Amino acid sequence: MNIDRKLVRKVIESFVDSPEYYWNNNARQLKKSSSRIKRLFDYYGWDAESLIEIIICIAEERISKNTKTIYFSSFGSSGSHLLQHVLVDSFDMIGLGEIYLPQPLENTLREVDLKSGQMLLECYHLLHSPPENIFKNKPIINTAHRASLQTFSSSTALFTPVFIIRDPVELTISRSFRKDEYRSYLGMADVSDEEYLKENIEKTKRFYQSALKYPYEYYLFFEDISKNPVRVAELLSLISNEKGNESKVLESLKRAVETGATNKYSGPKILVSESLISLAESELKNISSKVEEFRSVYAGKKAL
């Protein structure tokens, strides 16, 4: 099956020219896409036609050489930025951060043939890459918070899916009370702490119920970053096809933790009432039990 290059070009041209159409009213994601594309233009000085042609050529070469994409999925507050940093630092990979699919593009990916869809998604990722990295024949890392990869997985030529699991109670408390900016963005700055916590409890339930059903290739546990960094280094080496370089990853991991190379909350200590913690523990009891089951089976191992 041949790639429909005309279709790929048409869609990429449309996205570069009118990202606002694709993101509609999502100002947060529109700003991200627009700024990433602008950086490419500013860095290389290309016109739109040249940029699109070069991106398509790079994507085609990456697919032909089986250069993969690593998906670090999590519900946030789980160390994905730190782990991405470690892999970029250790193996010069291309870290994108959280890159999502706008609905019109997702619809297109579901409609086109397999090869053309894979080319489209490869181009889309490259458009969001740091400009100095687009010519690297290195794995791309996407840390989008998706419970199951859905269109990402069906439209990526070669990929490794990794789910980062964190204790659901700790995760929910962190998401509720250590991200004031995001709380304001959601329009919930004025609701009570209990109401906002309940909202996050339900989101955590839905996310984990879906994520624990998706066939991830690896499961990595957030708590191991501090409690068992050797295990984390071993898993990251396997994920990267760099078995034998565990010591390099371990050194990078320790250095990153010590220097704060992460978006971990670093503001003043926040005291959460025992009643709110008890509420989270009670409501998330079943999900916490399932997480512990996964931990007993998959800690330090590749998924079956």
Side-chain angles (χ1 to χ4, degrees), residues 60-255:
E60 197 164 35
E61 182 177 13
R62 287 178 58 84
I63 291 174
S64 70
K65 291 183 175 180
N66 292 319
T67 310
K68 69 179 176 180
T69 298
I70 298 173
Y71 290 107
F72 273 128
S73 185
S74 71
F75 194 35
S77 299
S78 300
S80 60
H81 291 82
L82 173 64
L83 297 174
Q84 174 183 267
H85 172 86
V86 169
L87 289 186
V88 171
D89 182 52
S90 298
F91 306 120
D92 201 28
M93 294 183 181
I94 305 173
L96 305 188
E98 301 165 26
I99 299 300
Y100 297 90
L101 295 174
Q103 194 60 54
L105 179 58
E106 190 162 353
N107 293 341
T108 298
L109 288 169
R110 289 172 176 170
E111 295 167 359
V112 301
D113 65 88
L114 177 64
K115 296 295 184 181
S116 298
Q118 291 174 349
M119 178 67 75
L120 264 175
L121 186 52
E122 198 75 36
C123 289
Y124 181 75
H125 275 151
L126 286 167
L127 284 174
H128 290 82
S129 299
E132 65 275 15
N133 292 342
I134 62 172
F135 290 102
K136 291 180 181 178
N137 186 32
K138 296 285 186 175
I140 280 173
I141 304 171
N142 188 341
T143 63
H145 302 313
R146 283 285 175 259
S148 56
L149 295 176
Q150 303 158 320
T151 311
F152 278 121
S153 58
S154 61
S155 301
T156 306
L158 182 67
F159 70 100
T160 297
V162 185
F163 185 50
I164 308 169
I165 301 181
R166 183 178 182 181
D167 176 270
V169 175
E170 292 290 333
L171 171 60
T172 305
I173 294 296
S174 177
R175 288 179 60 85
S176 299
F177 304 117
R178 295 181 175 87
K179 293 193 173 186
D180 288 341
E181 181 184 355
Y182 188 64
R183 182 172 178 173
S184 297
Y185 169 75
L186 294 176
M188 302 193 74
D190 296 326
V191 305
S192 69
D193 284 351
E194 182 174 340
E195 183 178 350
Y196 186 54
L197 176 61
K198 287 180 177 178
E199 171 93 0
N200 277 299
I201 286 171
E202 292 307 311
K203 288 179 178 178
T204 301
K205 284 181 181 178
R206 290 195 297 270
F207 192 94
Y208 269 74
Q209 284 167 351
S210 178
L212 296 179
K213 293 176 183 177
Y214 183 84
Y216 284 94
E217 189 173 349
Y218 294 92
Y219 294 92
L220 197 152
F221 296 87
F222 171 81
E223 291 76 14
D224 282 345
I225 293 174
S226 59
K227 294 181 179 179
N228 199 336
V230 172
R231 175 185 290 168
V232 173
E234 290 172 347
L235 274 176
L236 290 180
S237 296
L238 283 174
I239 290 164
S240 308
N241 294 331
E242 292 283 352
K243 190 170 175 56
N245 281 317
E246 292 83 356
S247 61
K248 186 176 183 179
V249 179
L250 184 60
E251 288 174 7
S252 178
L253 179 60
K254 289 181 177 178
R255 186 165 57 248

